[in-house]
Amino acid sequence: MLSSLKAFNLLVMFLLELSVYAAVAMWGFTTTDKWPLKLLLGVGVPVGLIAVWALFGAPRATYAVHGGGRVLLEVLWFGSGAAALAASGRQGWAAAFAGIFLVNAALRLLWNQ
């Protein structure tokens, strides 16, 4: 049973990672009326975040961070998703996202994931 819960928690983290991209893209496409800027923010910012996660946060990251650096990366990473939701006018979704992240992070810490 515990191994299933641990696997589910890792799935939740993966879905949270994907949700950051969706939230930031939604923010980018809704932040302005100017089409070129919408495209730049809606596509460019998620691509930049993909690069950051691939370099520092992914399981096989080139420059994987650990300890306090990992905590800082995750707070900034998932915080950007929550902030993007809030900036898009979805404060309830932002609060839910942040809450799910906090529970997920606590369980990963507890279970050494």
Side-chain angles (χ1 to χ4, degrees), residues 9 11 18 27 30 40 50 69 72 76 80 85 102:
N9 196 50
L11 173 64
L18 295 179
W27 165 80
T30 60
L40 179 66
I50 288 170
L72 179 62
L76 292 174
S80 71
L85 286 169
L102 290 173

Side-chain angles (χ1 to χ4, degrees), residues 73-109:
L73 173 68
E74 286 192 16
V75 167
L76 292 174
W77 176 266
F78 294 105
S80 71
L85 286 169
S88 299
R90 290 159 177 86
Q91 288 80 13
W93 284 102
F97 182 87
I100 293 168
F101 164 70
L102 290 173
V103 170
N104 176 265
L107 290 174
R108 283 186 290 116
L109 182 64

Side-chain angles (χ1 to χ4, degrees), residues 37-91:
L37 192 53
K38 276 186 180 198
L39 193 59
L40 179 66
L41 294 174
V43 176
V45 174
V47 167
L49 285 174
I50 288 170
V52 168
W53 193 255
L55 288 171
F56 303 107
R60 291 187 231 152
T62 307
Y63 307 102
V65 293
H66 304 283
R70 178 66 184 207
V71 171
L72 179 62
L73 173 68
E74 286 192 16
V75 167
L76 292 174
W77 176 266
F78 294 105
S80 71
L85 286 169
S88 299
R90 290 159 177 86
Q91 288 80 13

